Amino acid sequence: RGAERRSNPMSTKTIFHSDINHPQELLQEFFAANDYFNSEEKAQISKAWDFLVSCTSSEVRSSGEPYYVHPLRVAHILAQNKLDSETIIAALLHSINQHGADIEKVRAAFGDSIAAITDTTNKILNIPINTKTIHQSDAIRKMFFAMSDDVRVLFITLADRLDRMRNIKNLRPEYQKVIAEAAIGVWAPLAE
C-alpha cells in the first residue's frame, strides 16, 4: 500500500508518503519532517520506534493499517509543535503496555520519566468517559489534571484524541459516537 492519507473531511493532507508497511521508511520520513532533533535524540527516538514496531509488528488496526502508524502520527502532531524528545518517545510508546511491554520494560529501556509519562497517559486514555452532563465533563477534566503531574501527559493525550478524530471514519459507528461525544465534552475544553 502506498501513501497513507486521511480519508475524512477534517483533513485530506497526506501525512506520510512512505509505504506504511515499511517502518524504517516511515521513521526516516518523520525525521525529515521534524529535523530539530540532535543525533542522540534521534537515536533514542529510533530505539523507541524499534521497540514499538517489535512489540506490535503483527498487529493491525480495524482500518487495516499496522498498529504502529497511529503512535507515529501522534508523535508527529507533537513534533510539529517542537516538543522535546522525551515527549516524542512517550508518544510512540503511549499504549505499548497493551502489547506485551509492561511499564518495567519501558522503564529499563527508556528511564523513569518516560515510563511515568507513558503509564499515566495509558491510564487516562483507558478511563471510560461518560459526558452526559457538563458537571460530569468538568469532573473528568479535573481528574485528568489530578492524575497528571507532567503536562506532557496531557499533550500526548490530546494528540492521541486529535488523531482519532481525524481518522474517525476508520472506527465502528458506535465507537465514532463515543469518541465524538468525548471530544466535545472533554477533550476540546481541555485543549482550550
Side-chain angles (χ1 to χ4, degrees), residues 104-158:
E104 292 311 316
K105 285 183 183 176
V106 174
R107 187 180 323 284
F110 302 101
D112 290 335
S113 178
I114 291 170
I117 294 168
T118 58
D119 188 45
T120 306
T121 302
N122 187 57
K123 286 175 183 172
I124 288 173
L125 289 172
N126 284 300
I127 293 172
I129 296 177
N130 181 355
T131 58
K132 300 281 186 233
T133 68
I134 292 174
H135 178 67
Q136 288 170 328
S137 297
D138 289 341
I140 291 169
R141 286 192 300 275
K142 287 176 185 174
M143 180 180 61
F144 291 163
F145 277 112
M147 289 176 67
S148 173
D149 59 352
D150 189 329
V151 72
R152 296 177 293 182
V153 168
L154 297 175
F155 291 153
I156 295 168
T157 304
L158 290 169

Side-chain angles (χ1 to χ4, degrees), residues 1 14 41 56 73 86 102 105 108 121 142 160 164 173 177 180 184 189:
R1 183 168 130 178
T14 299
E41 291 168 332
T56 64
R73 288 191 309 245
E86 278 194 350
D102 65 23
K105 285 183 183 176
T121 302
K142 287 176 185 174
D160 175 90
R164 287 182 188 266
K177 183 177 180 190
I184 292 167

Side-chain angles (χ1 to χ4, degrees), residues 51-63:
F51 186 75
L52 169 68
V53 170
S54 71
C55 290
T56 64
S57 62
S58 64
E59 296 184 42
V60 178
R61 292 189 177 274
S62 60
S63 65

